């Protein structure tokens, strides 16, 4: 063990306290951690899990981030079917409606949520859009409790969707992972929910997020 410590000290990974003779980690590890975080590209980390989720459920998978009070699709893996939901990369969509948008908003600070409500007036896009502010706040609270969001035709009356948040190493929600498909074929099931939550948890884990219950490996 002493030989190993000597090598680590020579390489700058540990240093010895001259008074106590005890060893501690050096700042070089902090710099290595910073390099690791800077190379953790969200899209690159998410791609394998997005493909796995698409293959497991047979529907389109989209990755969204917030852009102001809207959400933007930054990556997608499309379903193999001719009939499928289509969202273009870079397309901006209101954040207050749809599973992926609600999954992004549910973990934001209350003032930001109120900003979204006031700016959009929760204008209904379909008959299923949650347009009442109190009901919307209750929906976000429910999403935080469950860990995922569901949309049954809130943005597009013919589309069903499930989404879950993606956390970074600081425990902040930086994106949401959405699984969606036409209502004629895709339905919200316990298995589909499990697959979406599993995929988002895996992505979060590889971005450095460590929750109380981590995904299985």
């Amino acid at each position: 063990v002493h030989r190993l410590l000597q090598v680590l000290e020579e390489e700058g990974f540990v240093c010895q306290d001259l008074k106590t003779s005890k060893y501690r980690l050096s700042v070089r590890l902090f710099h290595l951690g910073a390099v690791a975080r800077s190379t953790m590209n969200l899209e690159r980390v998410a791609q394998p899990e997005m493909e796995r989720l698409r293959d497991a459920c047979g529907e389109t998978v989209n990755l969204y981030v917030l852009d102001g009070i809207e959400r933007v699709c930054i990556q997608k893996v499309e379903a193999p079917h001719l009939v499928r939901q289509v969202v273009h990369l870079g397309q901006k969509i209101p954040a207050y409606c749809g599973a992926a948008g609600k999954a992004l908003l549910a973990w934001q600070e209350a003032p930001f949520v109120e900003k979204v409500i006031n700016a959009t007036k929760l204008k209904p896009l379909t008959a299923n859009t949650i347009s009442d502010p109190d009901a919307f706040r209750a929906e976000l609270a429910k999403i935080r409790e469950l860990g995922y969001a569901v949309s049954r035709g809130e943005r597009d009356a013919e589309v069903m969707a499930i989404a879950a948040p993606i956390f970074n190493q600081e425990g902040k929600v930086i994106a949401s992972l959405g699984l969606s498909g036409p209502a004629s074929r895709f339905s919200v099931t316990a298995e589909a929910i499990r697959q979406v939550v599993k995929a988002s948890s895996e992505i979060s884990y590889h971005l450095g997020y460590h929750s109380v219950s981590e995904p299985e490996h």
Side-chain angles (χ1 to χ4, degrees), residues 7-179:
V7 172
L8 290 172
E9 185 177 22
E10 290 170 2
E11 296 296 327
F13 292 108
V14 300
C15 54
Q16 188 177 26
D17 189 304
L18 296 178
K19 292 183 178 180
T20 65
S21 296
K22 292 183 178 180
Y23 289 88
R24 59 182 173 81
L25 300 178
S26 75
V27 293
R28 184 170 182 183
L29 286 176
F30 172 81
H31 293 305
L32 282 176
V35 171
R37 285 195 297 272
S38 68
T39 58
M40 285 180 177
N41 180 277
L42 173 59
E43 292 96 321
R44 186 177 65 251
V45 171
Q47 184 71 26
E49 280 303 314
M50 292 177 71
E51 293 176 354
R52 186 201 63 76
L53 180 59
R54 186 271 315 275
D55 294 342
C57 298
E59 299 295 349
T60 296
V61 181
N62 292 315
L63 186 67
Y64 292 93
V65 297
L66 280 173
D67 182 7
I69 61 172
E70 297 178 300
R71 56 181 163 118
V72 178
C73 179
I74 62 170
Q75 188 155 324
K76 64 178 179 177
V77 177
E78 294 189 331
H81 313 288
L82 291 176
V83 178
R84 59 180 182 267
Q85 186 201 22
V86 177
V87 176
H88 300 291
L89 292 178
Q91 180 178 346
K92 291 187 176 183
I93 302 171
Y96 66 88
C97 58
K102 292 188 297 182
L104 282 167
L105 291 179
W107 279 266
Q108 302 302 316
E109 298 291 337
F112 182 80
V113 173
E114 293 305 312
K115 178 181 178 180
V116 172
I117 293 174
N118 293 329
T120 64
K121 307 301 180 185
L122 302 182
K123 180 182 178 180
L125 299 186
T126 73
N128 297 321
T129 304
I130 301 175
S131 56
D132 176 78
D134 288 336
F136 184 70
R137 295 184 191 99
E139 174 76 355
L140 296 186
K142 178 182 177 182
I143 292 167
R144 287 194 300 273
E145 180 182 348
L146 295 175
Y148 63 88
V150 169
S151 171
R152 295 178 173 86
E154 292 178 18
R155 185 176 72 85
D156 184 326
E158 302 301 321
V159 173
M160 305 285 277
I162 305 167
I166 293 173
F167 298 86
N168 66 7
Q169 71 275 8
E170 298 173 351
K172 296 180 180 179
V173 172
I174 58 169
S176 65
L177 187 69
L179 175 71

